[in-house]
Amino acid sequence: MLSQPFSSSKREMHSRALSAEFVVIGGGFAGVCAAVTAARSGTKTILVQDRPVLGGNASSEVRLWILGATSHMGNNNRWSREGGLVDEILIENLYRNKEGNPVILDTILLEKVYQEPNITLLLNTAVWDIEKADPQTVSKVYAFCSQNSTFYEISGRLFCDASGDGILAYRAGAAFRMGAEEKRCYNEQFAPDKGEFGELLGHSIYFYSLDTGKPVKFVPPSYALKDITRIPRWRKISSSEHGCRFWWLEYGGRLDTIHDTEQIKWEIWSVVYGVWDYIKNSGNFPDAENLTLSWVGTIPGKRESRRFEGEYTLVQQDIIEQRHHPDAVAFGGWAIDLHPADGVYSSQNGCIQYHSKGIYEIPYRCYCSRDIRNLFLAGRCISASHVAHGSTRVMATSGFGAQAIGMAAALCLQKGVLPADLTRPEFMRLLQQRLNLAGQSIPGIRIDSAGNLAASARISASSELRLAEIPFDGGWMPLDYSAAQLLPLKAGVRYRFEIEVEACEATVLEAELRYAAKPFNYTPDMTAERVRIPVEMGTCKLSVVFTGTVPSDQYGFVTFLKNNALRIRSSKARYTGIVSVFNKFNEAVNNNGRQTGTPPAGSGIDAFEFWCPDRRPAGQNIAMRITPAIEAFSPSNVVNGFVRPTVTANAWCAAFGDKMPRLSFCWDVPQRIGRIRLFFDTDYDHALESVQMGHPERVIPFCVQGYRILDGHGNVVCECTDNHQTINDIRLKETLETDRLAIVVEHPSSEVAAALFQIHIEA
């Protein structure tokens, strides 16, 4: 029992003093990625989150899907899903939660943090003040947890503000911007008209519905929107949709998205309950009789508030022109995505999105405060213009940059330097190398082979895929949209393709060989040649011969233009780095086969077509014989430094007929081996939305699930029978000394050949 007498003075609150090398404020997706990456690199880390769960907008409190460069597979950014920890989380979520339950995602994010002994996690803890050692150095933050009535005094050497609104950076006095810049500020031609777009992007709240199997009555609260026609897009409301498919239920772009958040929340609640009242009680949705409102968000998902000034500010031109930065540590690929300021009450489309022709680099300098020397910026408050923020703000991109911050923090502490010092070339090369070994895939930067024992070995394989034929064993694919087979081609080589078509009438097949003007892109904006081939009614084989060629080693698009009279044979076989794409549409990302409408005159944005894959189980390859055969799957690829397709497949791929594919390494003298990293194919083209949408499989069909590693005597060093992750980091209990090593892999299925992108072997 506890009993205390009356006190004439106020009582002191319980308090605790904590310290760490790295303190992360904000446990959204970005904060989680920064903290876990730093902790795995040996850094003592404190993660402070003001909510009861992790994930921010991705959590069960808001329920927005995690997306980034893949953009719902609705753009030309092939194989662009973010790597490293972002990929690990999304792949794990697929394995445990392919249906997209946001509560399960909560558990995965909590587990990732809980499993790291170097992380101290403070949930329900809000930062309210800071202390400086000098004008440019943060030394402490002060926070309060309402659940345990405890004040925290948290000291650190390095800090990261991933709080969204930037509470730490703001209190520390760092320079920031809030709102839209004028065109002249950064010479951004797409800077929006403030009359229509206002200063800021608004907030959203979502709802979920549930079929109870019996009629359910709904009586709206008094604050529900009464007149549904106040929403100009009310006719788009559907009883079959819920969750973040109602992303356009947005409000607040003309208000202060920090200090007016509670006011904004009430307005969106009014909209949500008004929409549900309309669905339930208007009589226009008889299928809604048995539906009940199972969940409504209690906090709004924020898109924009403060953006802090870093050593560099990302702008429109960086995205559209795909500018190169020597300190690139991440990439983006979501469209520049701006919303009308009146949100749900606007008569305009809910968003205006314009895409680049490919992914763009994000420099490290965007993540370092230019004013506070020991402060990193993560998430939506990084250094970017309002226009560029329209792309960088999405969660997979935010988390991707944040894991670069986590790695940078660890490197700073190891080298005894401050964040800005890492821009020195010797430090930046080391940071980029460590990131790429963790799966970052920084554009154009290979994993350095120095220190990789595999690179010094003689490498051989039991077989090597030689793509002379994509088998004619699939169904018929109607050419109601133009279709193309994306293949890694050689510069100057003339190819012949034999296909099988079925015509319902005599017609002409138009075929083109296309390619991207920038070899690292997958926007087929150049045409090497077009051929026209007469086709008689019925089924026949056709030879498509191109005398035109691609100008460099890069992917070519063997293209068959839309023809409603034709169907083309598909194949069941799937291969790493090989995909079919279609000139279709994806309204979710403003894709109607090309940039929606024509980009505004003088906007600095290109008009071009979209060629995107279909989601599995659709999206089969086009069956064809290829002469000369494509030879892009050499075992030497496993040490070329790339862990995903770029201008070629970058993988060793075994032949289908090889019953026990084996990759062998031989050295002249015995090597001491303590760590082996394997990089498998988990289809970086698949968007892996984290909630709601659902996915067709728990394990990506390209992923090698079973493998054994053998030493020179045939002894099993490591065996795995149920892999589903991209990167397998194997740390041997005892150092192995051998002059030979072999990896025996299993084909994922009879329709998918075994493949391995990279192997990295260390002492």
Side-chain angles (χ1 to χ4, degrees), residues 410-475:
L411 183 57
C412 284
L413 292 162
Q414 290 164 12
K415 299 296 182 182
V417 298
L418 291 170
D421 295 328
L422 294 191
T423 58
R424 288 159 48 183
E426 66 272 24
F427 289 143
M428 184 50 55
R429 284 193 297 270
L430 182 55
L431 175 60
Q432 291 170 332
Q433 171 75 352
R434 290 185 180 182
L435 284 169
N436 275 349
L437 277 172
Q440 196 84 352
S441 297
I442 301 168
I445 298 179
R446 301 172 185 264
I447 295 173
D448 189 345
S449 62
N452 183 5
L453 298 177
S456 64
R458 292 185 297 278
I459 306 173
S460 59
S462 57
S463 68
E464 174 186 334
L465 177 66
R466 183 174 178 271
L467 196 59
E469 179 179 279
I470 302 177
F472 293 82
D473 59 358

Side-chain angles (χ1 to χ4, degrees), residues 312-540:
Y312 182 83
T313 298
L314 198 78
V315 297
Q316 172 189 332
Q317 297 90 320
D318 292 299
I319 294 173
I320 300 302
E321 298 171 15
Q322 298 173 276
R323 289 178 174 175
H324 172 63
H325 299 279
D327 62 331
V329 292
F331 61 77
W334 187 260
I336 293 176
D337 182 358
L338 304 181
H339 297 195
D342 295 320
V344 69
Y345 297 125
S346 173
S347 59
Q348 305 298 318
N349 288 332
C351 69
I352 178 170
Q353 295 184 340
Y354 284 108
H355 300 254
S356 173
K357 288 186 175 182
I359 61 172
Y360 59 89
E361 299 176 4
I362 305 178
Y364 170 77
R365 289 163 291 159
C366 292
Y367 302 109
C368 302
S369 169
R370 76 177 192 187
D371 302 308
I372 308 300
R373 294 178 299 182
N374 64 338
L375 178 62
F376 292 100
L377 307 168
R380 58 182 170 84
C381 68
I382 71 168
S383 186
S385 71
H386 172 75
V387 171
H389 168 87
S391 174
T392 62
R393 63 185 172 82
V394 294
M395 280 187 285
T397 305
S398 293
F400 201 41
Q403 65 193 27
I405 288 171
M407 193 72 76
L411 183 57
C412 284
L413 292 162
Q414 290 164 12
K415 299 296 182 182
V417 298
L418 291 170
D421 295 328
L422 294 191
T423 58
R424 288 159 48 183
E426 66 272 24
F427 289 143
M428 184 50 55
R429 284 193 297 270
L430 182 55
L431 175 60
Q432 291 170 332
Q433 171 75 352
R434 290 185 180 182
L435 284 169
N436 275 349
L437 277 172
Q440 196 84 352
S441 297
I442 301 168
I445 298 179
R446 301 172 185 264
I447 295 173
D448 189 345
S449 62
N452 183 5
L453 298 177
S456 64
R458 292 185 297 278
I459 306 173
S460 59
S462 57
S463 68
E464 174 186 334
L465 177 66
R466 183 174 178 271
L467 196 59
E469 179 179 279
I470 302 177
F472 293 82
D473 59 358
W476 291 102
M477 181 189 301
L479 283 178
D480 47 2
Y481 296 95
S482 296
Q485 188 63 46
L486 194 52
L487 297 169
L489 304 181
K490 288 290 186 181
V493 175
R494 296 178 177 179
Y495 288 92
R496 176 166 60 86
F497 304 92
E498 185 176 313
I499 62 172
E500 187 174 3
V501 299
E502 181 181 70
C504 63
E505 62 184 46
T507 185
V508 173
L509 171 68
E510 293 184 283
E512 295 179 339
L513 178 60
R514 294 187 178 189
Y515 60 94
K518 293 180 178 178
F520 51 81
N521 279 348
Y522 307 99
T523 294
D525 48 0
M526 305 296 290
T527 301
E529 187 178 2
R530 173 185 283 196
V531 298
R532 292 169 54 87
I533 304 171
V535 183
E536 297 297 326
M537 186 172 70
T539 302
C540 66

Side-chain angles (χ1 to χ4, degrees), residues 583-614:
N583 184 217
K584 294 185 178 180
F585 57 86
N586 187 331
E587 293 182 355
V589 291
N590 256 25
N591 169 355
N592 285 325
R594 56 187 297 115
Q595 292 268 29
T596 301
T598 301
S603 66
I605 294 173
D606 297 323
F608 57 88
E609 293 178 343
F610 291 104
W611 289 77
C612 310
D614 278 348

Side-chain angles (χ1 to χ4, degrees), residues 204-215:
S204 285
I205 289 178
Y206 311 127
F207 67 88
Y208 273 34
S209 60
L210 176 70
D211 190 334
T212 66
K214 59 184 179 182

